[in-house]
Amino acid sequence: MFDLASRDIKYISGVGPQKADILNKELKIYSVHDFIYYFPYKYVDRSRIYYIHEIDGNMPYIQLKGKILGFESFGEGRQRRLVAHFSDGTGVVDLVWFQGLKFITSRYKVNEEYIVFGKPTVFGGRFNVAHPDLDKPEELKLTTKGLQPYYNTTDKMKRGFLSSPNLAKMMAGVLQQITTPLTETLPDWLIAEHHLMSLDDAIRNIHFPTNPDILRRAQHRLKFEELFYIQLGILRYSKDRQRKYRGFVFEKVSDIFNTFYTQNLPFQLTGAQKRVLKEIRKDVGNGRQMNRLLQGDVGSGKTLVALMSMLMALDNGYQACLMAPTEILANQHFETIKSLLHGMNIRVELLTGSITKKKREPILTGLITGEVQILIGTHAVIEETVQFKSLGLVVIDEQHRFGVAQRARLWNKNIYPPHVLVMTATPIPRTLAMTLYGDLEVSIIDELPPGRKPIATMHQFDNRRESLYASVRKQLQEGRQVYIVYPLIKESEKIDLKNLEEGYYHILEEFPEYKVCKVHGKMKPAEKEEQMQLFVSGEAKIMVATTVIEVGVNVPNASVMIIENAERFGLSQLHQLRGRVGRGADQSYCILVTTYKLAEDTRKRLEIMVRTNDGFEIAEADLKLRGPGDLEGTQQSGVAFDLKIADIARDGQLLQYVRDVAQKIVDTDPENSLPQNDILWQQLRALRKSNVNWASIS
Ligand code: ADP
Ligand code: MG
């Protein structure tokens, strides 16, 4: 059968090579299939034509039919605007353009009939429609029955005659040329069981729905399919891996662990730490490879859990490795762990990019002989040259900064894959975790060590610096330390650094009696290290920094976190930054400084921060406010998070539902052998090729 869907879009009548080229470049649309999967982002009901005397100011859109009485132009240069007085006999509205004036006057004629579509506003006592859609009645027939689709377009597309209405016309034309129904991508039994629309109907109705009900059904079908195949891929892979890979068995907990527990542990474990350790203990003993995600808010004591898990590996004759995202953090872990293991005769080494070759050699040798038992480092530990005698456990701290590919490289260091414990302080909402790491088990530390006071968070406008500095001075006089953080965004890096410098000098002037240090990502590592050290040692009382301090730094004496331009940070990031204080027994403060004028969603973000310290609540809110694509951790994770229609933030329930459906299929058809499911595995293979490499997500 000839499959039109796989044809190159440029051969389709009504498209042609020039438009195809723009579609390739702007939207990565190459085939007819790609094109018909480019879905509208909204729909507007254009089934009804209004009379001008019916318009009221609250209508989001209006559609009118009438004639242009005449054109008039006002203003000069950039202020220029063109007005067309438009009437249908029941009244007059003004159509207004600020751009493309020549084009408008040459294209639209006085006294001819047009359909006007746009958003009405009131200006000078009259209704206005700015930059309306204007069509001849006969041109509109194809696409305006029922709901009108709106497609996202770029400037280049608009210039190349691929505006949203153009796309709609093209889409209608392409769908008309597809005369045999689109090949179904879900098995019949599944469609029947879950009352889904067929693929062919769904695609046609997602573009040109005749009513809202049909649109909802089409959307449901397509979202179902999209989420379903992601889950099926993850669960299938996970099942296969469970069957294929044995894991090291850590049979016993003995001398090393017990000595540490009874003699070196500086405090009582929290209940949550104990529970998580039990979960890990169970995982590493059952003969399967562990893949566990450990979520715990900043300061909840994950390092200790990591260390004690590593000791389990050591007790069974294996080596362990801890990877951190930055050198500073790796150093800090190294120091912490060395001091925790004091007197225990365990060889711990540090491997980062700045360890000299001379120092490196004996470490590498020690890893091969097995004398080095614990290795701590940055991504330097996954380089080819680093080989272990027998690596039993890898702990990855703040994993979202490690790419998926990097994690996969761990596999090469052993015949068996090591057990993996991934730790993160960025709480990932459940729905997202399921999609990103569908086959990871999740442990949660939901309890802070005793004696911590909740951080008090306040929001202040930047015109009230006097009182802000007064409270900072009070803390400094009590011997505390203070962070002042400025945003740093790639696009505006120069301006941001200027802000930081200005802020720094401002602080020097304001607090001449205290030593101030300064840290930002553009510094040489050695210089950065030196400045950090000033703060860690307590010599510097104030640190002015960009977000480089987000992860890791642990200075329990710091009690104030001031975040400048807080409106420019995302919720999760604000929460991470706030987590730098409140690490000691004293009351800590976080002050969010913003300009006076704030957008609605910014105000919401700040309100949430002031209201709660709960990382999960914040992550959920973040997901709702920003959508998953922006969510911290997803971009850096290396997962192509390219959902066409489903929305992780809104379709959480459906995600859970399809996950159950997929789980049942994997359980009842463990060998992929039931003929009724053939289509599923074919489709999964096809998607794997074109999409995300699920196999490397673990
Ligand atoms: P995170 O989970 O953010 O990595 P850390 O492991 O750095 O947190 O722990 C934060 C602080 O809490 C450290 O100073 C650590 O020594 C301390 N800590 C960890 N566990 C406990 C505990 N059970 N009781 C008291 N303090 C603890
Ligand atoms: Mg940590």
Side-chain angles (χ1 to χ4, degrees):
M1 191 186 72
F2 173 66
D3 186 6
L4 187 76
S6 62
R7 277 200 89 174
D8 191 326
I9 188 79
K10 75 178 168 213
Y11 299 123
I12 300 302
S13 96
V15 182
Q18 259 163 12
K19 284 181 184 161
D21 189 51
I22 299 175
L23 289 174
N24 292 171
K25 289 199 177 113
E26 295 295 291
L27 301 177
K28 297 202 172 67
I29 288 175
Y30 298 94
S31 64
V32 169
H33 178 275
D34 297 339
F35 187 61
I36 61 182
Y37 273 81
Y38 190 63
F39 301 144
Y41 70 93
K42 70 166 183 189
Y43 304 82
V44 173
D45 188 354
R46 291 190 67 171
S47 55
R48 177 155 179 215
I49 290 184
Y50 290 85
Y51 290 114
I52 291 176
H53 71 78
E54 288 180 291
I55 305 176
D56 77 55
N58 299 321
M59 294 167 144
Y61 295 97
I62 46 159
Q63 181 162 247
L64 308 166
K65 187 171 169 183
K67 291 176 180 173
I68 294 174
L69 304 176
F71 287 102
E72 230 182 316
S73 102
F74 299 91
E76 286 298 322
R78 302 220 301 173
Q79 304 286 314
R80 241 187 105 194
R81 67 181 201 277
L82 178 71
V83 173
H85 305 292
F86 183 89
S87 172
D88 64 357
T90 73
V92 179
V93 293
D94 285 349
L95 312 179
V96 188
W97 289 270
F98 301 96
Q99 276 159 15
L101 310 191
K102 260 205 192 113
F103 174 77
I104 301 296
T105 41
S106 67
R107 171 147 177 203
Y108 301 113
K109 305 272 180 298
V110 172
N111 263 330
E112 282 193 26
E113 189 155 73
Y114 293 106
I115 306 251
V116 162
F117 179 76
K119 188 176 167 40
T121 51
V122 187
F123 181 75
R126 236 190 212 183
F127 280 109
N128 273 256
V129 184
H131 286 252
D133 290 351
L134 215 55
D135 297 276
K136 298 207 156 165
E138 61 274 17
E139 280 170 359
L140 269 177
K141 288 217 177 67
L142 258 185
T143 52
T144 50
K145 284 190 214 120
L147 299 170
Q148 170 87 354
Y150 276 73
Y151 298 90
N152 278 315
T153 55
T154 63
D155 282 346
K156 278 211 182 93
M157 289 171 67
K158 285 193 196 103
R159 269 181 264 129
F161 301 102
L162 286 170
S163 64
S164 176
N166 294 140
L167 278 179
K169 274 172 214 170
M170 249 167 77
M171 191 65 74
V174 168
L175 288 175
Q176 223 163 39
Q177 289 173 61
I178 301 177
T179 46
T180 45
L182 294 163
T183 314
E184 185 50 62
T185 43
L186 288 173
D188 291 341
W189 67 264
L190 194 72
I191 290 179
E193 197 171 307
H194 300 282
H195 313 289
L196 300 172
M197 207 181 232
S198 75
L199 180 68
D200 193 72
D201 281 348
I203 291 287
R204 289 176 199 277
N205 283 298
I206 199 77
H207 293 290
F208 303 109
T210 41
N211 63 54
D213 193 45
I214 287 188
L215 173 62
R216 260 193 301 280
R217 290 196 54 211
Q219 285 170 329
H220 177 71
R221 144 83 206 216
L222 294 166
K223 285 179 182 184
F224 184 107
E225 172 166 1
E226 185 167 47
L227 295 173
F228 169 77
Y229 274 114
I230 291 173
Q231 292 303 317
L232 188 68
I234 292 171
L235 294 171
R236 177 80 272 165
Y237 168 72
S238 145
K239 189 98 175 174
D240 289 350
R241 203 187 50 197
Q242 277 175 18
R243 287 191 311 170
K244 213 158 62 195
Y245 292 123
R246 306 283 310 149
F248 294 123
V249 181
F250 296 175
E251 276 175 5
K252 53 182 192 279
V253 158
S254 64
D255 292 357
I256 301 179
F257 188 96
N258 289 331
T259 306
F260 178 80
Y261 192 73
T262 51
Q263 291 173 20
N264 282 42
L265 191 61
F267 25 60
Q268 288 261 313
L269 292 176
T270 63
Q273 284 171 322
K274 279 188 197 157
R275 189 190 65 235
V276 168
L277 277 167
K278 271 190 201 137
E279 287 167 351
I280 292 170
R281 170 81 193 95
K282 210 167 142 203
D283 264 17
V284 295
N286 71 7
R288 290 209 311 253
Q289 184 221 356
M290 173 175 80
N291 259 294
R292 190 167 276 279
L293 175 67
L294 173 56
Q295 301 193 340
D297 221 335
V298 276
S300 61
K302 295 186 291 295
T303 316
L304 202 56
V305 171
L307 174 61
M308 292 179 74
S309 311
M310 294 198 282
L311 298 184
M312 291 180 202
L314 268 52
D315 260 339
N316 290 276
Y318 296 103
Q319 294 159 293
C321 170
L322 170 61
M323 289 203 288
T326 65
E327 203 150 308
I328 291 163
L329 194 53
N331 273 318
Q332 206 166 52
H333 278 321
F334 179 64
E335 296 302 333
T336 307
I337 285 176
K338 251 191 356 192
S339 80
L340 281 168
L341 294 177
H342 182 73
M344 281 189 63
N345 194 26
I346 292 172
R347 185 159 164 207
V348 186
E349 294 286 356
L350 176 71
L351 193 68
T352 64
S354 58
I355 300 282
T356 57
K357 198 161 176 246
K358 219 173 100 197
K359 274 195 178 164
R360 188 179 268 263
E361 290 302 331
I363 298 175
L364 295 182
T365 316
L367 286 168
I368 292 172
T369 59
E371 281 159 66
V372 174
Q373 293 156 286
I374 294 179
L375 181 68
I376 295 169
T378 53
H379 53 271
V381 303
I382 57 171
E383 283 165 17
E384 293 295 328
T385 50
V386 183
Q387 293 296 330
F388 292 78
K389 177 164 181 246
S390 115
L391 179 61
L393 170 72
V394 176
V395 182
I396 305 175
D397 197 16
E398 289 305 332
Q399 66 80 42
H400 56 269
R401 312 224 163 178
F402 275 105
V404 169
Q406 288 171 312
R407 269 197 283 156
R409 276 166 75 176
L410 288 168
W411 271 213
N412 306 334
K413 300 205 175 291
N414 266 342
I415 313 166
Y416 283 166
H419 295 299
V420 176
L421 180 66
V422 171
M423 306 198 294
T424 179
T426 310
I428 300 167
R430 207 181 123 61
T431 47
L432 192 59
M434 261 164 56
T435 315
L436 282 177
Y437 323 101
D439 69 325
L440 283 189
E441 304 294 324
V442 179
S443 290
I444 296 173
I445 304 188
D446 50 6
E447 181 185 353
L448 291 178
R452 301 262 174 90
K453 289 203 183 68
I455 302 162
T457 304
M458 284 153 272
H459 173 205
Q460 252 186 27
F461 295 118
D462 60 4
N463 54 10
R464 305 226 20 230
R465 286 203 177 261
E466 300 282 297
S467 74
L468 175 64
Y469 289 148
S471 26
V472 166
R473 181 160 277 115
K474 203 156 153 270
Q475 287 289 306
L476 288 167
Q477 279 161 358
E478 284 175 23
R480 302 279 102 80
Q481 287 165 280
V482 177
Y483 293 103
I484 303 174
V485 178
Y486 285 83
L488 186 64
I489 297 172
K490 271 229 177 69
E491 295 83 66
S492 60
E493 212 160 348
K494 274 211 183 109
I495 305 172
D496 285 343
L497 282 176
K498 195 167 148 270
N499 284 343
L500 176 88
E501 292 295 340
E502 275 171 9
Y504 175 66
Y505 287 111
H506 188 66
I507 292 296
L508 286 181
E509 274 172 20
E510 194 72 31
F511 297 98
E513 67 273 41
Y514 294 106
K515 190 165 178 64
V516 185
C517 65
K518 180 176 69 177
V519 182
H520 59 79
K522 279 277 142 88
M523 285 175 153
K524 295 213 177 73
E527 195 185 350
K528 195 156 86 186
E529 191 71 25
E530 189 187 314
Q531 293 288 310
M532 286 274 197
Q533 205 48 50
L534 282 175
F535 195 68
V536 173
S537 69
E539 200 182 331
K541 298 298 180 198
I542 304 176
M543 176 191 273
V544 180
T546 56
T547 42
V548 290
I549 63 152
E550 196 182 321
V551 241
V553 196
N554 188 17
V555 181
N557 187 47
S559 63
V560 182
M561 166 63 68
I562 296 172
I563 305 176
E564 297 281 349
N565 294 115
E567 69 271 21
R568 287 175 53 193
F569 291 92
L571 264 178
S572 295
Q573 214 178 6
L574 289 172
H575 183 63
Q576 287 289 307
L577 286 169
R578 178 168 62 183
R580 296 301 109 209
V581 295
R583 309 194 135 224
D586 300 293
Q587 176 66 54
S588 290
Y589 305 89
C590 173
I591 299 159
L592 309 168
V593 184
T594 71
T595 52
Y596 190 68
K597 264 196 172 164
L598 290 175
E600 181 59 28
D601 62 331
T602 310
R603 231 198 346 267
K604 272 198 196 129
R605 277 211 301 276
L606 299 170
E607 275 166 23
I608 293 166
M609 286 298 296
V610 171
R611 191 183 68 226
T612 180
N613 274 305
D614 179 339
F616 279 92
E617 192 182 337
I618 288 169
E620 292 282 356
D622 204 20
L623 186 59
K624 289 220 175 76
L625 282 174
R626 297 205 291 170
D630 290 334
L631 201 73
E632 220 155 308
T634 57
Q635 297 134 317
Q636 297 110 318
S637 70
V639 178
F641 216 67
D642 190 14
L643 293 177
K644 283 203 167 65
I645 185 161
D647 176 341
I648 299 289
R650 286 195 200 100
D651 300 321
Q653 249 182 337
L654 181 61
L655 181 62
Q656 181 64 56
Y657 182 82
V658 299
R659 184 176 168 87
D660 294 343
V661 174
Q663 184 69 58
K664 207 165 136 200
I665 292 173
V666 168
D667 289 343
T668 52
D669 189 5
E671 310 273 344
N672 302 0
S673 54
L674 299 181
Q676 67 189 42
N677 290 336
D678 278 354
I679 190 172
L680 291 176
W681 317 123
Q682 274 166 29
Q683 185 65 11
L684 208 53
R685 271 194 298 276
L687 287 172
R688 272 216 181 111
K689 256 189 235 152
S690 66
N691 244 318
V692 186
N693 185 5
W694 294 111
S696 61
I697 297 171
S698 54

